[in-house]
């Protein structure tokens, strides 16, 4: 989603800004931010503004709201000035950062915020976890918990909901809808997103590839057996029904089983 948006002439995607704290390499030059021609300019402007380098900013876990507001204002302003783009896509993907950005807006931050909630269906998400050899108990719980926590964060907030499956099937239609929410018109060049300069720090490994093909990944249909499909279907039912109450009851029912110690034979 970020890469597709980045290919618009008035938008820049910067990847996971929280990764600036860990010196993650940029996509454009494969260098740490302080050595990248683009990011070093951003760093210089931020330093002029607040006297801190990128890796010293409060981007997620601090407890000083005033510093968080100041640091992020300086960062977004520097990105806008260096890139020449007024719309910046930050794909940090943490509710903690979203909550603090919303607080900053309420405290008078000089930037606007439009959250984009991109969600993938339970079968595809959990099949990716299964491939790594993990038991599905905690991931299923996490999938449901994340859904309801995100929904709570975005309640009464202007945001955009995107379903991965719809985006992959019809990227032009879904992308046009998203750009419209940003006050922009979809550009055909966005579907050739690989031709754009990618500045992302951190992010999905596809940013390093060579193809701009967008296809729907439904490998879960053949890789999950019927028992796992049934389990996922039942245990993610609260999400399908949008019922937080059912989720709470489900967790309460499962907890005694989870916490029961194994008995020796």
């Amino acid at each position: 989603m970020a890469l597709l948006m980045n290919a618009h002439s008035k938008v820049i995607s910067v990847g996971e800004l929280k990764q600036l704290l860990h010196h993650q390499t940029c996509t454009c030059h494969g260098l740490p931010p302080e050595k990248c021609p683009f990011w070093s300019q951003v760093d210089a402007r931020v330093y002029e503004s607040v006297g801190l380098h990128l890796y010293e900013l409060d981007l997620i876990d601090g407890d000083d709201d005033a510093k968080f507001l100041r640091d992020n204002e300086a960062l977004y302003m520097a990105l806008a000035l260096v890139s020449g783009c007024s719309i910046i896509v930050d794909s940090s993907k943490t509710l903690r950062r979203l909550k603090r950005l919303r607080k900053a807006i309420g405290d008078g931050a000089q930037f606007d915020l439009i959250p984009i909630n991109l969600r993938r269906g339970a079968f595809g998400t959990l099949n990716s976890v299964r491939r790594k050899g993990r038991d599905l108990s905690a991931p299923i719980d996490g999938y449901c918990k994340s859904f309801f926590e995100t929904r709570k964060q975005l309640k009464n907030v202007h945001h955009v909901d995107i379903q991965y499956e719809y985006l992959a099937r019809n990227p032009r239609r879904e992308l046009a809808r998203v750009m419209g929410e940003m006050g922009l018109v979809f550009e055909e060049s966005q579907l050739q997103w690989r031709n754009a300069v990618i500045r992302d720090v951190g992010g999905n490994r596809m940013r390093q590839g060579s193809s701009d093909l967008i296809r729907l990944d439904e490998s879960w249909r053949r890789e999950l057996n019927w028992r796992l499909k049934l389990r996922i279907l039942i245990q993610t039912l609260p999400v399908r029904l949008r019922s937080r109450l059912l989720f709470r009851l489900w967790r309460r029912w499962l907890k005694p089983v989870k916490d029961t110690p194994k008995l020796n034979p």
Side-chain angles (χ1 to χ4, degrees):
M1 187 74 244
L3 295 172
L4 286 166
M5 294 181 70
N6 179 70
H8 193 282
S9 59
K10 296 183 180 179
V11 179
I12 181 173
S13 169
V14 292
E16 301 180 29
L17 285 183
K18 64 178 182 176
Q19 297 295 351
L20 290 173
L21 305 177
H22 308 295
H23 299 271
Q24 287 279 348
T25 58
C26 65
T27 305
C28 46
H29 293 87
L31 296 171
E34 61 271 19
K35 295 182 180 180
C36 167
F38 173 83
W39 283 100
S40 60
Q41 290 184 64
V42 176
D43 181 72
R45 287 188 177 273
V46 169
Y47 193 82
E48 288 176 7
S49 178
V50 297
L52 296 173
H53 292 290
L54 296 176
Y55 59 86
E56 298 175 303
L57 299 176
D58 180 0
L59 300 179
I60 186 168
D61 288 327
D63 54 10
D64 186 336
D65 289 338
K67 183 178 184 300
F68 180 86
L69 188 158
R70 184 201 67 181
D71 289 0
N72 283 273
E73 263 189 353
L75 177 56
Y76 286 139
M77 181 61 71
L79 285 165
L81 289 171
V82 175
S83 69
C85 296
S86 60
I87 296 182
I88 299 162
V89 182
D90 171 6
S91 51
S92 292
K93 300 188 293 293
T94 65
L95 288 178
R96 168 70 171 163
R97 179 161 171 76
L98 173 60
K99 184 176 181 179
R100 299 195 74 196
L101 286 172
R102 287 184 56 207
K103 175 70 166 54
I105 295 292
D107 291 341
Q110 298 301 302
F111 56 82
D112 295 320
L113 176 70
I114 303 179
I116 298 177
N117 181 28
L118 175 62
R119 189 169 64 88
R120 188 179 185 184
F123 292 110
T125 301
L126 294 165
N127 187 47
S128 295
V129 174
R130 181 201 59 80
R131 288 198 195 108
K132 300 173 183 177
R134 294 176 57 191
D135 177 73
L136 291 183
S137 298
I140 289 176
D141 182 76
Y143 179 85
C144 296
K145 182 179 179 182
S146 176
F147 173 84
F148 288 109
E149 287 185 353
T150 301
R151 199 174 187 218
K152 181 180 178 181
Q153 277 283 338
L154 296 178
K155 185 177 181 180
N156 300 322
V157 174
H158 175 218
H159 68 281
V160 186
D161 282 309
I162 294 288
Q163 187 73 25
Y164 156 77
E165 288 80 3
Y166 293 165
L167 177 65
R169 286 193 183 102
N170 197 331
R172 178 180 283 100
R173 180 191 65 198
E174 294 301 301
L175 196 52
R177 182 167 68 86
V178 174
M179 304 315 293
E181 294 286 348
M182 309 295 136
L184 298 174
V185 176
F186 166 75
E187 296 176 350
E188 284 295 329
S189 61
Q190 291 182 258
L191 296 181
Q192 285 76 52
W193 55 269
R194 187 70 70 180
N195 295 332
V197 177
I198 302 173
R199 304 290 189 188
D200 284 19
V201 174
N204 193 290
R205 63 180 180 272
M206 72 178 292
R207 65 196 173 103
Q208 305 286 1
S210 58
S211 172
D212 57 14
L213 176 66
I214 300 171
R215 63 179 180 83
L216 178 64
D217 179 2
E218 289 189 307
S219 54
W220 61 267
R221 292 186 180 276
R222 64 177 182 278
E223 293 178 2
L224 293 175
N225 60 44
W226 69 268
R227 291 184 181 86
L228 285 175
K229 289 177 182 176
L230 184 60
R231 178 186 178 187
I232 292 171
L233 179 66
I234 293 173
Q235 291 188 251
T236 60
L237 193 60
V239 170
R240 297 174 188 279
L241 298 178
R242 307 295 193 264
S243 173
R244 193 179 187 97
L245 175 60
L246 180 59
F247 177 52
R248 289 172 179 168
L249 293 173
W250 183 256
R251 294 185 89 193
R252 188 180 303 171
W253 180 68
L254 284 182
K255 188 175 180 180
V257 177
K258 182 180 178 181
D259 293 343
T260 301
K262 292 182 179 180
L263 299 177
N264 293 324

